[in-house]
Amino acid sequence: MFETDDYDIINIAISNLQSHIVMIKQNEHLMFLSSTDQLSQLKNRHALQEQLSIQSEMIRRYNNKRSMHFQMTIIFLDMDNFKFYNDTYGHEAGDLLISKFGELLKKVFRKVDFISRFGGDEFVILMPSTNCLEAKRAAERLYKELNAQNHYISQLSDLLKTEIDIPENKRLCFSMGICSNYDIEDPTDLELTMKNADHALYYSKKHGKNQIVIW
């Protein structure tokens, strides 16, 4: 049989354990908040920079031990016509589109892909063990899903509590640049890979938008 002192010791131990569990959950929540974009619920820019550093180091170590390289393809994506919605219907409409587009990215891309909101209406996706053509096929699925959602016009109508008619040339879409670390001299330099994907995106935006350009 337990003595009274034994019960007191057990209760103190349980209390300490519960406090420790609460502290762990709080720390996990704080870590989630610090690495997550609250509007899109994707990883934020800070988390992206950390991931680039981690993946670059991993690729460097992998390459040192083996004669083959670990492939990483990076997508830089910008939403087309986003400013039109912000200017015409207000920031609530823009926030809705960012949120819905974040959901769509998580639906289309794989769980192993690192999906982040770079800022504003720009997104960066890291796709491990993927070449540029495979990344392009994922992007084409994204176009298809966005069309299936009718560019979120009905959701915007619900938000604004009125029917809206969006001209074809103003419908929400996206431009995209793609680059693989296989396409640069140093395959461990993921910062340069991302910059090249950004350059490809810029070319896409300058030459008609709503298209995919591979570096």
Side-chain angles (χ1 to χ4, degrees):
M1 296 291 292
F2 286 116
E3 299 292 336
T4 302
D5 288 346
D6 294 330
Y7 281 111
D8 290 341
I9 293 171
I10 291 172
N11 286 333
I12 291 171
I14 291 173
S15 178
N16 288 338
L17 180 60
Q18 289 173 333
S19 297
H20 189 61
I21 291 172
V22 168
M23 185 174 65
I24 290 173
K25 288 183 177 180
Q26 288 175 339
N27 288 338
E28 288 177 346
H29 182 62
L30 288 173
M31 187 176 295
F32 171 80
L33 292 176
S34 68
S35 64
T36 304
D37 174 68
Q38 297 305 300
L39 185 55
S40 67
Q41 292 297 296
L42 302 173
K43 294 298 183 181
N44 59 24
R45 188 168 178 172
H46 175 71
L48 170 65
Q49 296 297 357
E50 286 191 344
Q51 185 70 8
L52 284 171
S53 178
I54 291 170
Q55 292 295 330
S56 291
E57 179 62 23
M58 185 192 75
I59 293 171
R60 190 174 295 110
R61 292 185 179 187
Y62 184 90
N63 290 352
N64 287 340
K65 293 179 180 179
R66 296 168 176 82
S67 59
M68 60 187 297
H69 295 308
F70 179 85
Q71 187 165 23
M72 175 75 75
T73 294
I74 299 181
I75 290 175
F76 217 120
L77 183 155
D78 182 273
M79 296 168 70
D80 294 330
N81 301 318
F82 181 75
K83 188 175 184 298
F84 164 79
Y85 292 91
N86 257 350
D87 293 348
T88 307
Y89 302 112
H91 289 290
E92 282 192 1
D95 288 350
L96 172 69
L97 292 177
I98 291 291
S99 175
K100 291 296 182 183
F101 197 72
E103 291 176 5
L104 195 63
L105 288 173
K106 286 189 284 188
K107 177 181 178 181
V108 169
F109 287 90
R110 307 167 301 182
K111 291 188 182 297
V112 297
D113 298 328
F114 188 91
I115 311 169
S116 64
R117 184 184 178 198
F118 191 75
D121 59 346
E122 293 183 322
F123 301 83
V124 173
I125 303 157
L126 311 183
M127 302 186 70
S129 304
T130 304
N131 62 41
C132 287
L133 292 179
E134 290 167 335
K136 184 180 180 181
R137 285 197 288 270
E140 289 166 349
R141 291 196 299 272
L142 187 62
Y143 277 122
K144 184 178 179 180
E145 288 290 340
L146 187 58
N147 287 332
Q149 293 293 330
N150 194 26
H151 309 270
Y152 301 118
I153 293 175
S154 60
Q155 289 90 335
L156 286 168
S157 295
D158 291 341
L159 174 70
L160 300 168
K161 295 181 171 55
T162 184
E163 291 295 321
I164 58 174
D165 183 24
I166 307 295
E168 189 73 29
N169 67 332
K170 292 296 184 182
R171 295 197 170 190
L172 184 74
C173 208
F174 61 88
S175 299
M176 180 181 288
I178 300 174
C179 182
S180 166
N181 65 332
Y182 272 27
D183 299 324
I184 62 174
E185 185 175 348
D186 179 5
T188 69
D189 192 347
L190 295 186
E191 287 283 355
L192 179 58
T193 307
M194 186 174 76
K195 286 179 182 177
N196 288 345
D198 189 22
H199 292 324
L201 167 63
Y202 179 78
Y203 184 92
S204 173
K205 299 288 282 188
K206 290 285 288 184
H207 292 80
K209 300 181 180 181
N210 192 25
Q211 60 182 316
I212 304 163
V213 172
I214 296 177
W215 174 263

Short mmCIF file of all heavy atoms in Angstrom, two decimals, residues 126-185:
data_model
loop_
_atom_site.label_atom_id
_atom_site.label_comp_id
_atom_site.label_asym_id
_atom_site.label_seq_id
_atom_site.Cartn_x
_atom_site.Cartn_y
_atom_site.Cartn_z
N LEU A 126 10.14 24.32 -53.28
CA LEU A 126 11.31 23.47 -53.46
C LEU A 126 10.83 22.04 -53.71
O LEU A 126 10.07 21.49 -52.91
CB LEU A 126 12.20 23.49 -52.20
CG LEU A 126 12.58 24.85 -51.61
CD1 LEU A 126 13.52 24.66 -50.42
CD2 LEU A 126 13.20 25.76 -52.66
N MET A 127 11.29 21.45 -54.81
CA MET A 127 10.86 20.11 -55.19
C MET A 127 12.05 19.16 -55.25
O MET A 127 12.79 19.14 -56.24
CB MET A 127 10.13 20.15 -56.53
CG MET A 127 8.91 21.07 -56.56
SD MET A 127 7.96 20.95 -58.11
CE MET A 127 7.24 19.30 -57.95
N PRO A 128 12.27 18.38 -54.20
CA PRO A 128 13.41 17.45 -54.18
C PRO A 128 13.21 16.29 -55.14
O PRO A 128 12.08 15.88 -55.44
CB PRO A 128 13.44 16.97 -52.73
CG PRO A 128 12.04 17.13 -52.24
CD PRO A 128 11.50 18.33 -52.94
N SER A 129 14.35 15.77 -55.65
CA SER A 129 14.34 14.61 -56.57
C SER A 129 13.39 14.84 -57.74
O SER A 129 12.65 13.94 -58.14
CB SER A 129 13.95 13.33 -55.81
OG SER A 129 14.80 13.11 -54.72
N THR A 130 13.44 16.04 -58.28
CA THR A 130 12.52 16.43 -59.35
C THR A 130 13.28 17.22 -60.41
O THR A 130 14.09 18.09 -60.07
CB THR A 130 11.39 17.33 -58.80
OG1 THR A 130 10.73 16.64 -57.75
CG2 THR A 130 10.38 17.68 -59.87
N ASN A 131 13.04 16.91 -61.70
CA ASN A 131 13.65 17.72 -62.76
C ASN A 131 12.67 18.79 -63.24
O ASN A 131 11.51 18.83 -62.80
CB ASN A 131 14.12 16.83 -63.92
CG ASN A 131 12.98 16.07 -64.58
OD1 ASN A 131 11.89 16.60 -64.80
ND2 ASN A 131 13.23 14.80 -64.91
N CYS A 132 13.12 19.62 -64.14
CA CYS A 132 12.31 20.77 -64.56
C CYS A 132 11.04 20.35 -65.29
O CYS A 132 9.99 20.98 -65.12
CB CYS A 132 13.15 21.69 -65.45
SG CYS A 132 14.40 22.62 -64.54
N LEU A 133 11.11 19.31 -66.09
CA LEU A 133 9.93 18.87 -66.82
C LEU A 133 8.87 18.31 -65.87
O LEU A 133 7.67 18.53 -66.06
CB LEU A 133 10.30 17.82 -67.87
CG LEU A 133 11.15 18.35 -69.04
CD1 LEU A 133 11.48 17.22 -70.02
CD2 LEU A 133 10.41 19.48 -69.78
N GLU A 134 9.31 17.60 -64.84
CA GLU A 134 8.37 17.10 -63.83
C GLU A 134 7.73 18.26 -63.06
O GLU A 134 6.53 18.23 -62.76
CB GLU A 134 9.09 16.16 -62.87
CG GLU A 134 9.50 14.84 -63.52
CD GLU A 134 10.47 14.04 -62.67
OE1 GLU A 134 11.19 14.63 -61.85
OE2 GLU A 134 10.51 12.80 -62.84
N ALA A 135 8.53 19.28 -62.76
CA ALA A 135 8.00 20.47 -62.08
C ALA A 135 6.99 21.19 -62.98
O ALA A 135 5.96 21.69 -62.50
CB ALA A 135 9.13 21.41 -61.71
N LYS A 136 7.28 21.22 -64.26
CA LYS A 136 6.36 21.87 -65.20
C LYS A 136 5.03 21.13 -65.25
O LYS A 136 3.96 21.74 -65.33
CB LYS A 136 6.98 21.93 -66.60
CG LYS A 136 6.12 22.67 -67.62
CD LYS A 136 6.77 22.72 -68.98
CE LYS A 136 5.87 23.47 -69.97
NZ LYS A 136 6.48 23.50 -71.33
N ARG A 137 5.07 19.80 -65.20
CA ARG A 137 3.83 19.02 -65.20
C ARG A 137 3.00 19.33 -63.95
O ARG A 137 1.77 19.40 -64.02
CB ARG A 137 4.13 17.53 -65.31
CG ARG A 137 4.55 17.09 -66.70
CD ARG A 137 4.45 15.58 -66.88
NE ARG A 137 5.48 14.88 -66.13
CZ ARG A 137 6.69 14.58 -66.63
NH1 ARG A 137 7.00 14.95 -67.86
NH2 ARG A 137 7.56 13.93 -65.90
N ALA A 138 3.67 19.52 -62.81
CA ALA A 138 2.95 19.91 -61.59
C ALA A 138 2.30 21.27 -61.77
O ALA A 138 1.16 21.50 -61.35
CB ALA A 138 3.92 19.92 -60.40
N ALA A 139 3.03 22.18 -62.43
CA ALA A 139 2.48 23.52 -62.68
C ALA A 139 1.26 23.45 -63.60
O ALA A 139 0.28 24.19 -63.40
CB ALA A 139 3.55 24.41 -63.31
N GLU A 140 1.31 22.57 -64.56
CA GLU A 140 0.16 22.41 -65.47
C GLU A 140 -1.05 21.87 -64.72
O GLU A 140 -2.19 22.24 -65.02
CB GLU A 140 0.56 21.50 -66.63
CG GLU A 140 1.53 22.17 -67.59
CD GLU A 140 2.20 21.20 -68.55
OE1 GLU A 140 2.05 19.96 -68.34
OE2 GLU A 140 2.87 21.65 -69.49
N ARG A 141 -0.82 21.01 -63.71
CA ARG A 141 -1.94 20.54 -62.87
C ARG A 141 -2.51 21.70 -62.06
O ARG A 141 -3.72 21.77 -61.83
CB ARG A 141 -1.47 19.42 -61.94
CG ARG A 141 -1.12 18.12 -62.64
CD ARG A 141 -1.04 16.96 -61.66
NE ARG A 141 -0.01 17.15 -60.64
CZ ARG A 141 1.25 16.77 -60.81
NH1 ARG A 141 1.65 16.21 -61.94
NH2 ARG A 141 2.14 16.95 -59.84
N LEU A 142 -1.64 22.62 -61.67
CA LEU A 142 -2.09 23.79 -60.91
C LEU A 142 -3.00 24.67 -61.78
O LEU A 142 -4.03 25.17 -61.31
CB LEU A 142 -0.89 24.58 -60.42
CG LEU A 142 -1.18 25.75 -59.47
CD1 LEU A 142 -1.84 25.27 -58.19
CD2 LEU A 142 0.12 26.50 -59.15
N TYR A 143 -2.62 24.87 -63.04
CA TYR A 143 -3.48 25.61 -63.97
C TYR A 143 -4.85 24.93 -64.07
O TYR A 143 -5.91 25.59 -64.03
CB TYR A 143 -2.86 25.67 -65.36
CG TYR A 143 -1.83 26.75 -65.56
CD1 TYR A 143 -0.53 26.42 -65.95
CD2 TYR A 143 -2.14 28.09 -65.39
CE1 TYR A 143 0.43 27.41 -66.15
CE2 TYR A 143 -1.19 29.08 -65.59
CZ TYR A 143 0.09 28.73 -65.97
OH TYR A 143 1.04 29.70 -66.16
N LYS A 144 -4.83 23.62 -64.22
CA LYS A 144 -6.07 22.87 -64.38
C LYS A 144 -6.96 23.01 -63.15
O LYS A 144 -8.18 23.22 -63.27
CB LYS A 144 -5.74 21.39 -64.62
CG LYS A 144 -6.94 20.51 -64.88
CD LYS A 144 -6.53 19.08 -65.17
CE LYS A 144 -7.74 18.19 -65.41
NZ LYS A 144 -7.35 16.78 -65.71
N GLU A 145 -6.38 22.91 -61.96
CA GLU A 145 -7.15 23.03 -60.72
C GLU A 145 -7.70 24.45 -60.55
O GLU A 145 -8.82 24.63 -60.06
CB GLU A 145 -6.29 22.65 -59.51
CG GLU A 145 -5.99 21.17 -59.41
CD GLU A 145 -7.21 20.35 -59.05
OE1 GLU A 145 -8.19 20.91 -58.52
OE2 GLU A 145 -7.20 19.13 -59.32
N LEU A 146 -6.90 25.45 -60.92
CA LEU A 146 -7.36 26.83 -60.81
C LEU A 146 -8.54 27.09 -61.74
O LEU A 146 -9.51 27.76 -61.37
CB LEU A 146 -6.21 27.79 -61.13
CG LEU A 146 -6.48 29.28 -60.89
CD1 LEU A 146 -6.87 29.55 -59.45
CD2 LEU A 146 -5.24 30.10 -61.27
N ASN A 147 -8.48 26.52 -62.93
CA ASN A 147 -9.62 26.63 -63.86
C ASN A 147 -10.84 25.93 -63.30
O ASN A 147 -11.97 26.41 -63.44
CB ASN A 147 -9.24 26.04 -65.22
CG ASN A 147 -8.30 26.93 -66.01
OD1 ASN A 147 -8.29 28.14 -65.84
ND2 ASN A 147 -7.49 26.32 -66.86
N ALA A 148 -10.64 24.78 -62.66
CA ALA A 148 -11.75 24.04 -62.07
C ALA A 148 -12.42 24.84 -60.96
O ALA A 148 -13.63 24.71 -60.73
CB ALA A 148 -11.26 22.69 -61.53
N GLN A 149 -11.65 25.68 -60.28
CA GLN A 149 -12.20 26.55 -59.24
C GLN A 149 -12.80 27.83 -59.82
O GLN A 149 -13.27 28.70 -59.05
CB GLN A 149 -11.10 26.93 -58.25
CG GLN A 149 -10.56 25.78 -57.42
CD GLN A 149 -11.58 25.23 -56.45
OE1 GLN A 149 -12.46 25.95 -55.97
NE2 GLN A 149 -11.50 23.94 -56.17
N ASN A 150 -12.79 27.95 -61.16
CA ASN A 150 -13.29 29.14 -61.85
C ASN A 150 -12.66 30.41 -61.30
O ASN A 150 -13.30 31.45 -61.15
CB ASN A 150 -14.82 29.23 -61.76
CG ASN A 150 -15.40 30.25 -62.75
OD1 ASN A 150 -14.80 30.51 -63.78
ND2 ASN A 150 -16.54 30.82 -62.41
N HIS A 151 -11.36 30.29 -60.97
CA HIS A 151 -10.55 31.44 -60.55
C HIS A 151 -11.11 32.13 -59.31
O HIS A 151 -10.88 33.31 -59.09
CB HIS A 151 -10.41 32.43 -61.71
CG HIS A 151 -9.96 31.79 -62.99
ND1 HIS A 151 -8.64 31.66 -63.34
CD2 HIS A 151 -10.68 31.22 -64.00
CE1 HIS A 151 -8.56 31.05 -64.52
NE2 HIS A 151 -9.77 30.76 -64.93
N TYR A 152 -11.87 31.39 -58.52
CA TYR A 152 -12.42 31.85 -57.23
C TYR A 152 -13.43 33.00 -57.37
O TYR A 152 -13.64 33.77 -56.43
CB TYR A 152 -11.29 32.26 -56.27
CG TYR A 152 -10.34 31.15 -56.00
CD1 TYR A 152 -9.00 31.25 -56.35
CD2 TYR A 152 -10.76 29.97 -55.40
CE1 TYR A 152 -8.12 30.20 -56.12
CE2 TYR A 152 -9.89 28.91 -55.16
CZ TYR A 152 -8.57 29.05 -55.53
OH TYR A 152 -7.71 28.02 -55.31
N ILE A 153 -14.06 33.08 -58.52
CA ILE A 153 -15.04 34.15 -58.73
C ILE A 153 -16.24 33.98 -57.81
O ILE A 153 -16.75 34.95 -57.23
CB ILE A 153 -15.47 34.20 -60.21
CG1 ILE A 153 -14.28 34.64 -61.08
CG2 ILE A 153 -16.65 35.16 -60.41
CD1 ILE A 153 -14.56 34.60 -62.57
N SER A 154 -16.73 32.75 -57.64
CA SER A 154 -17.91 32.54 -56.79
C SER A 154 -17.57 32.84 -55.33
O SER A 154 -18.40 33.40 -54.60
CB SER A 154 -18.41 31.10 -56.93
OG SER A 154 -17.40 30.17 -56.54
N GLN A 155 -16.35 32.48 -54.89
CA GLN A 155 -15.95 32.78 -53.51
C GLN A 155 -15.85 34.28 -53.28
O GLN A 155 -16.22 34.79 -52.21
CB GLN A 155 -14.61 32.11 -53.18
CG GLN A 155 -14.68 30.60 -53.05
CD GLN A 155 -14.45 29.89 -54.37
OE1 GLN A 155 -14.67 30.44 -55.44
NE2 GLN A 155 -13.98 28.65 -54.30
N LEU A 156 -15.37 35.00 -54.28
CA LEU A 156 -15.30 36.46 -54.18
C LEU A 156 -16.70 37.06 -54.14
O LEU A 156 -16.96 38.01 -53.39
CB LEU A 156 -14.51 37.04 -55.35
CG LEU A 156 -12.99 36.86 -55.31
CD1 LEU A 156 -12.38 37.22 -56.65
CD2 LEU A 156 -12.39 37.72 -54.20
N SER A 157 -17.62 36.52 -54.94
CA SER A 157 -19.00 36.99 -54.94
C SER A 157 -19.64 36.79 -53.57
O SER A 157 -20.37 37.67 -53.06
CB SER A 157 -19.82 36.27 -56.01
OG SER A 157 -19.35 36.57 -57.30
N ASP A 158 -19.36 35.63 -52.95
CA ASP A 158 -19.88 35.37 -51.60
C ASP A 158 -19.31 36.37 -50.60
O ASP A 158 -20.04 36.87 -49.73
CB ASP A 158 -19.53 33.95 -51.17
CG ASP A 158 -20.29 32.90 -51.96
OD1 ASP A 158 -21.32 33.24 -52.58
OD2 ASP A 158 -19.85 31.73 -51.97
N LEU A 159 -18.04 36.66 -50.72
CA LEU A 159 -17.40 37.61 -49.80
C LEU A 159 -17.99 39.00 -49.95
O LEU A 159 -18.29 39.68 -48.95
CB LEU A 159 -15.89 37.66 -50.07
CG LEU A 159 -15.10 38.72 -49.29
CD1 LEU A 159 -15.03 38.35 -47.80
CD2 LEU A 159 -13.70 38.89 -49.86
N LEU A 160 -18.18 39.42 -51.19
CA LEU A 160 -18.65 40.78 -51.47
C LEU A 160 -20.17 40.90 -51.42
O LEU A 160 -20.71 42.00 -51.49
CB LEU A 160 -18.15 41.23 -52.85
CG LEU A 160 -16.62 41.25 -53.00
CD1 LEU A 160 -16.23 41.43 -54.46
CD2 LEU A 160 -16.01 42.35 -52.15
N LYS A 161 -20.84 39.72 -51.32
CA LYS A 161 -22.31 39.66 -51.26
C LYS A 161 -22.96 40.30 -52.49
O LYS A 161 -24.00 40.96 -52.40
CB LYS A 161 -22.82 40.33 -49.97
CG LYS A 161 -22.39 39.60 -48.70
CD LYS A 161 -22.92 40.28 -47.47
CE LYS A 161 -22.67 39.44 -46.22
NZ LYS A 161 -21.25 39.08 -46.04
N THR A 162 -22.33 40.08 -53.62
CA THR A 162 -22.87 40.55 -54.90
C THR A 162 -22.22 39.77 -56.03
O THR A 162 -21.07 39.31 -55.90
CB THR A 162 -22.64 42.06 -55.11
OG1 THR A 162 -23.27 42.47 -56.32
CG2 THR A 162 -21.15 42.38 -55.18
N GLU A 163 -22.94 39.59 -57.11
CA GLU A 163 -22.37 38.90 -58.27
C GLU A 163 -21.34 39.81 -58.93
O GLU A 163 -21.57 41.01 -59.12
CB GLU A 163 -23.47 38.55 -59.27
CG GLU A 163 -24.43 37.47 -58.79
CD GLU A 163 -23.73 36.14 -58.61
OE1 GLU A 163 -22.86 35.81 -59.44
OE2 GLU A 163 -24.04 35.43 -57.64
N ILE A 164 -20.20 39.25 -59.27
CA ILE A 164 -19.17 40.03 -59.96
C ILE A 164 -18.86 39.37 -61.30
O ILE A 164 -18.93 38.16 -61.45
CB ILE A 164 -17.89 40.15 -59.11
CG1 ILE A 164 -17.32 38.77 -58.77
CG2 ILE A 164 -18.15 40.95 -57.84
CD1 ILE A 164 -15.97 38.84 -58.07
N ASP A 165 -18.52 40.22 -62.26
CA ASP A 165 -18.19 39.75 -63.60
C ASP A 165 -16.74 40.16 -63.88
O ASP A 165 -16.45 41.34 -64.02
CB ASP A 165 -19.12 40.37 -64.62
CG ASP A 165 -18.86 39.85 -66.03
OD1 ASP A 165 -18.31 38.74 -66.15
OD2 ASP A 165 -19.19 40.56 -67.01
N ILE A 166 -15.85 39.17 -63.92
CA ILE A 166 -14.43 39.44 -64.12
C ILE A 166 -14.08 39.25 -65.60
O ILE A 166 -14.33 38.17 -66.14
CB ILE A 166 -13.55 38.50 -63.27
CG1 ILE A 166 -13.96 38.56 -61.80
CG2 ILE A 166 -12.08 38.87 -63.43
CD1 ILE A 166 -13.76 39.89 -61.14
N PRO A 167 -13.55 40.27 -66.25
CA PRO A 167 -13.13 40.09 -67.66
C PRO A 167 -12.11 38.97 -67.78
O PRO A 167 -11.33 38.70 -66.86
CB PRO A 167 -12.50 41.45 -68.00
CG PRO A 167 -13.01 42.40 -66.99
CD PRO A 167 -13.26 41.61 -65.75
N GLU A 168 -12.11 38.32 -68.91
CA GLU A 168 -11.22 37.18 -69.14
C GLU A 168 -9.75 37.55 -68.90
O GLU A 168 -8.99 36.77 -68.31
CB GLU A 168 -11.40 36.67 -70.57
CG GLU A 168 -10.69 35.36 -70.86
CD GLU A 168 -11.38 34.16 -70.20
OE1 GLU A 168 -12.61 34.21 -70.00
OE2 GLU A 168 -10.66 33.19 -69.90
N ASN A 169 -9.37 38.75 -69.33
CA ASN A 169 -7.96 39.15 -69.22
C ASN A 169 -7.59 39.60 -67.80
O ASN A 169 -6.44 39.95 -67.55
CB ASN A 169 -7.63 40.25 -70.22
CG ASN A 169 -8.35 41.55 -69.92
OD1 ASN A 169 -9.44 41.56 -69.33
ND2 ASN A 169 -7.76 42.66 -70.32
N LYS A 170 -8.56 39.61 -66.88
CA LYS A 170 -8.29 40.00 -65.50
C LYS A 170 -8.48 38.84 -64.52
O LYS A 170 -8.37 39.03 -63.31
CB LYS A 170 -9.19 41.17 -65.09
CG LYS A 170 -8.89 42.47 -65.81
CD LYS A 170 -7.50 42.98 -65.47
CE LYS A 170 -7.23 44.33 -66.11
NZ LYS A 170 -5.84 44.79 -65.82
N ARG A 171 -8.77 37.67 -65.03
CA ARG A 171 -8.98 36.54 -64.13
C ARG A 171 -7.67 36.12 -63.47
O ARG A 171 -6.60 36.24 -64.05
CB ARG A 171 -9.59 35.36 -64.90
CG ARG A 171 -10.98 35.69 -65.41
CD ARG A 171 -11.76 34.48 -65.81
NE ARG A 171 -13.15 34.84 -66.06
CZ ARG A 171 -14.12 33.96 -66.25
NH1 ARG A 171 -13.85 32.66 -66.24
NH2 ARG A 171 -15.36 34.36 -66.47
N LEU A 172 -7.81 35.68 -62.23
CA LEU A 172 -6.63 35.30 -61.47
C LEU A 172 -5.92 34.13 -62.13
O LEU A 172 -6.54 33.11 -62.44
CB LEU A 172 -7.03 34.91 -60.05
CG LEU A 172 -5.85 34.59 -59.12
CD1 LEU A 172 -5.14 35.86 -58.71
CD2 LEU A 172 -6.32 33.83 -57.89
N CYS A 173 -4.62 34.28 -62.35
CA CYS A 173 -3.82 33.18 -62.87
C CYS A 173 -2.42 33.34 -62.30
O CYS A 173 -2.24 34.02 -61.29
CB CYS A 173 -3.83 33.17 -64.40
SG CYS A 173 -3.61 31.50 -65.07
N PHE A 174 -1.42 32.73 -62.94
CA PHE A 174 -0.07 32.85 -62.39
C PHE A 174 0.98 32.69 -63.48
O PHE A 174 0.75 32.05 -64.51
CB PHE A 174 0.17 31.83 -61.27
CG PHE A 174 0.07 30.40 -61.70
CD1 PHE A 174 1.16 29.72 -62.20
CD2 PHE A 174 -1.14 29.71 -61.61
CE1 PHE A 174 1.07 28.39 -62.59
CE2 PHE A 174 -1.26 28.39 -62.00
CZ PHE A 174 -0.14 27.73 -62.49
N SER A 175 2.12 33.29 -63.23
CA SER A 175 3.31 33.10 -64.06
C SER A 175 4.33 32.36 -63.21
O SER A 175 4.34 32.45 -61.99
CB SER A 175 3.88 34.44 -64.50
OG SER A 175 2.94 35.15 -65.28
N MET A 176 5.23 31.64 -63.89
CA MET A 176 6.13 30.77 -63.14
C MET A 176 7.50 30.67 -63.82
O MET A 176 7.59 30.61 -65.04
CB MET A 176 5.51 29.38 -63.03
CG MET A 176 6.33 28.36 -62.28
SD MET A 176 5.51 26.75 -62.23
CE MET A 176 4.16 27.07 -61.08
N GLY A 177 8.53 30.67 -62.99
CA GLY A 177 9.88 30.38 -63.44
C GLY A 177 10.39 29.14 -62.74
O GLY A 177 10.14 28.94 -61.54
N ILE A 178 11.13 28.29 -63.46
CA ILE A 178 11.63 27.03 -62.92
C ILE A 178 13.12 26.91 -63.20
O ILE A 178 13.58 27.21 -64.30
CB ILE A 178 10.90 25.83 -63.55
CG1 ILE A 178 9.39 25.89 -63.28
CG2 ILE A 178 11.46 24.52 -63.03
CD1 ILE A 178 8.59 24.81 -63.99
N CYS A 179 13.86 26.47 -62.20
CA CYS A 179 15.29 26.17 -62.39
C CYS A 179 15.67 24.99 -61.51
O CYS A 179 15.19 24.86 -60.38
CB CYS A 179 16.14 27.39 -62.04
SG CYS A 179 17.92 27.12 -62.31
N SER A 180 16.54 24.14 -62.03
CA SER A 180 17.07 23.01 -61.29
C SER A 180 18.53 23.28 -60.92
O SER A 180 19.25 23.97 -61.66
CB SER A 180 16.98 21.73 -62.12
OG SER A 180 17.77 20.69 -61.56
N ASN A 181 18.96 22.73 -59.80
CA ASN A 181 20.38 22.87 -59.44
C ASN A 181 21.29 22.11 -60.41
O ASN A 181 22.50 22.30 -60.39
CB ASN A 181 20.63 22.43 -57.99
CG ASN A 181 20.38 20.94 -57.78
OD1 ASN A 181 19.57 20.32 -58.49
ND2 ASN A 181 21.04 20.36 -56.79
N TYR A 182 20.71 21.26 -61.25
CA TYR A 182 21.47 20.61 -62.31
C TYR A 182 21.84 21.58 -63.43
O TYR A 182 22.69 21.28 -64.26
CB TYR A 182 20.66 19.46 -62.92
CG TYR A 182 20.81 18.13 -62.22
CD1 TYR A 182 21.14 18.05 -60.86
CD2 TYR A 182 20.60 16.94 -62.90
CE1 TYR A 182 21.26 16.83 -60.22
CE2 TYR A 182 20.73 15.71 -62.26
CZ TYR A 182 21.05 15.67 -60.93
OH TYR A 182 21.18 14.45 -60.29
N ASP A 183 21.15 22.75 -63.45
CA ASP A 183 21.33 23.71 -64.53
C ASP A 183 22.35 24.79 -64.19
O ASP A 183 22.51 25.76 -64.95
CB ASP A 183 19.99 24.37 -64.88
CG ASP A 183 18.97 23.35 -65.37
OD1 ASP A 183 19.38 22.39 -66.06
OD2 ASP A 183 17.78 23.51 -65.06
N ILE A 184 23.02 24.67 -63.05
CA ILE A 184 24.04 25.65 -62.67
C ILE A 184 25.35 24.92 -62.40
O ILE A 184 25.38 23.70 -62.24
CB ILE A 184 23.62 26.46 -61.43
CG1 ILE A 184 23.42 25.56 -60.21
CG2 ILE A 184 22.34 27.25 -61.71
CD1 ILE A 184 23.14 26.31 -58.93
N GLU A 185 26.44 25.69 -62.35
CA GLU A 185 27.77 25.08 -62.21
C GLU A 185 27.93 24.38 -60.87
O GLU A 185 28.49 23.28 -60.80
CB GLU A 185 28.84 26.16 -62.38
CG GLU A 185 30.25 25.62 -62.36
CD GLU A 185 31.28 26.68 -62.65
OE1 GLU A 185 30.90 27.79 -63.09
OE2 GLU A 185 32.49 26.41 -62.45
#
